[in-house]
Amino acid sequence: MENLRLSDFYYDLPEELIAQTPLPDRASSRLLVLDRENHSISHKIFKDIKDYLNPGDLLVMNNTRVIPARLYGVKKETGSKIEFLLLKRIDLTKWEVILKPGRKAKEGAEFIFGDGLLNAKVLKVKEDGNRIVEFSFEGVFEDILDKLGQMPLPPYIKEKLDDKERYQTVYSKHEGSAAAPTAGLHFTNELMDEIRKTGVNIAFVTLHVGLGTFRPVKCDNIKEHKMHSEHFFIDEETCRLINETKKNGGKVIAVGTTSVRVIESAADDNGFIKPVEGDTEIFIYPGYKFKVVDRLITNFHLPESTLLMLICALAGKEDIFKAYNEAVRERYRFFSFGDAMLIF
């Protein structure tokens, strides 16, 4: 396959189409349906998703929970301000973090948060500029984080979020993400109950979303891009449901690109899934042959992003760009709090 250039994945998005706040009703977002068989596009409301699911199909959702991963503090020696963004937990007290401004954080530098409720020391500066830090505190780290931390909304969202739970899926369970798996934000408990009643199964995987999701691709030849690593696990019950669905001829429908990354990372060459926990750096771009995932519910993604490359791999670049151009024309809402798309 010819080299894929970064500019191949650029599209022009008017800034006013970037959704700044979630809609009052999660399931009332718009839904653009892309039918790959006849290359057609239709416009629906998200709650219509059940019309595209058949008994014996399986929805696979990522049940990670976003932690209030942004911390504001001061440098111990100078009192100058610092921002920490928690990326990945290493053990009970150590984390990989992004710091702003980074120059203040050489090895051995110490920081104070919440008048001493939480203290941190830089143990190591990584090659990519991230730091490994060790926190010291009394009590339970999660309780302190809940008190001091703020939701790490993506950089393109400028509005304040009134209700923290609107940046969580209703089925979020395992804490550890620095960003929400946003395709799942459209589901309500009522809609999930309605879907189950039609004979469609729902299963869960966990992938803790890192901030690498928002890191731009910088290589002109996209194959040279190195993906960030994200921690995931998939349990026996979910593996059983996926394997049975495939065996019985049902469709596996991933909710969000993070669910795709888990399923495809866990599958062997024959598309068989076994329980696994680990880190994945899977990079899916056009030319990739999907082993398990049949369909995808997703949001609209940033130009030149690895997420846009993933959906182009599933549906073909031409159809995706046709759909995106129509979504811009029809003034869909884009990105995290935006509208949804079903690749059917």
Side-chain angles (χ1 to χ4, degrees):
M1 196 175 184
E2 83 285 2
N3 282 346
L4 290 163
R5 312 242 67 100
L6 183 58
S7 55
D8 294 340
F9 297 92
Y10 179 78
Y11 69 92
D12 201 25
L13 180 70
E15 202 173 324
E16 69 270 16
L17 296 186
I18 300 172
Q20 293 296 319
T21 51
L23 295 179
D25 170 20
R26 290 175 185 260
S28 65
S29 302
R30 293 163 81 187
L31 178 70
L32 183 148
V33 180
L34 171 61
D35 185 329
R36 287 173 289 170
E37 201 173 321
N38 55 27
H39 310 285
S40 69
I41 291 165
S42 43
H43 303 286
K44 303 287 179 180
I45 298 299
F46 191 80
K47 51 175 76 85
D48 299 331
I49 196 85
K50 53 186 184 296
D51 301 341
Y52 295 89
L53 306 171
N54 296 307
D57 285 349
L58 178 68
L59 281 176
V60 183
M61 301 172 157
N62 179 8
N63 63 5
T64 187
R65 193 165 166 78
V66 186
I67 56 172
R70 188 169 267 131
L71 286 164
Y72 295 98
V74 295
K75 193 172 183 185
K76 195 174 180 181
E77 294 162 19
T78 61
S80 53
K81 288 178 180 173
I82 192 84
E83 178 189 324
F84 272 36
L85 200 51
L86 306 183
L87 284 189
K88 192 191 277 186
R89 189 168 209 157
I90 295 161
D91 62 27
L92 283 174
T93 56
K94 295 187 191 76
W95 282 78
E96 182 177 339
V97 302
I98 293 175
L99 277 81
K100 287 185 195 169
R103 63 180 184 278
K104 293 182 181 173
K106 296 185 170 55
E107 283 180 19
E110 294 184 47
F111 301 92
I112 301 166
F113 304 90
D115 297 328
L117 261 184
L118 190 61
N119 295 281
K121 184 177 184 177
V122 177
L123 301 180
K124 183 183 173 188
V125 179
K126 292 184 67 186
E127 270 178 39
D128 59 7
N130 293 354
R131 270 58 171 183
I132 305 296
V133 302
E134 181 158 32
F135 287 105
S136 53
F137 49 89
E138 282 184 17
V140 179
F141 182 77
E142 285 74 12
D143 293 346
I144 294 167
L145 193 59
D146 214 36
K147 193 179 278 188
L148 300 180
Q150 292 186 16
M151 273 296 171
L153 290 177
Y156 47 75
I157 292 177
K158 312 288 189 234
E159 297 275 326
K160 193 173 182 301
L161 181 61
D162 292 332
D163 176 8
K164 274 187 187 178
E165 280 304 305
R166 286 312 309 272
Y167 196 54
Q168 306 279 13
T169 60
V170 296
Y171 48 81
S172 65
K173 186 176 179 185
H174 301 290
E175 295 199 326
S177 275
T182 54
L185 295 178
H186 305 283
F187 285 91
T188 61
N189 287 315
E190 294 74 27
L191 180 57
M192 287 168 73
D193 287 342
E194 284 174 37
I195 287 168
R196 285 189 183 101
K197 279 176 191 155
T198 65
V200 174
N201 291 310
I202 297 178
F204 298 96
V205 296
T206 305
L207 179 138
H208 293 317
V209 188
L211 260 289
T213 299
F214 304 109
R215 280 214 171 124
V217 177
K218 294 200 170 132
C219 325
D220 185 39
N221 176 359
I222 67 162
K223 292 179 189 176
E224 293 167 9
H225 175 68
K226 181 161 173 16
M227 281 295 276
H228 53 287
S229 157
E230 291 173 317
H231 194 71
F232 76 96
F233 55 91
I234 179 166
D235 65 20
E236 207 163 315
E237 172 64 3
T238 294
C239 292
R240 184 185 67 74
L241 282 165
I242 291 173
N243 293 330
E244 277 184 11
T245 301
K246 295 300 277 190
K247 190 175 142 202
N248 298 333
K251 300 294 184 195
V252 172
I253 302 129
V255 176
T257 55
T258 60
S259 299
V260 173
R261 295 186 72 217
V262 175
I263 298 165
E264 294 292 316
S265 295
D268 67 15
D269 291 341
N270 301 313
F272 187 78
I273 306 252
K274 288 185 188 148
V276 60
E277 175 167 4
D279 295 306
T280 180
E281 292 178 358
I282 192 170
F283 182 16
I284 296 174
Y285 53 82
Y288 178 86
K289 297 278 180 278
F290 286 83
K291 295 178 276 193
V292 179
V293 172
D294 298 304
R295 294 172 180 165
L296 174 62
I297 297 166
T298 186
N299 278 19
F300 292 93
H301 302 295
L302 278 80
E304 300 185 333
S305 64
T306 59
L307 308 178
L308 182 58
M309 293 166 196
L310 184 152
I311 64 166
C312 287
L314 186 64
K317 188 172 162 296
E318 201 176 315
D319 276 355
I320 289 294
F321 273 74
K322 182 176 139 192
Y324 269 53
N325 288 332
E326 181 145 342
V328 170
R329 257 197 321 277
E330 294 289 330
R331 308 215 37 100
Y332 271 66
R333 302 164 81 246
F334 276 66
F335 306 163
S336 296
F337 288 137
D339 295 315
M341 177 178 186
L342 169 64
I343 297 173
F344 186 68

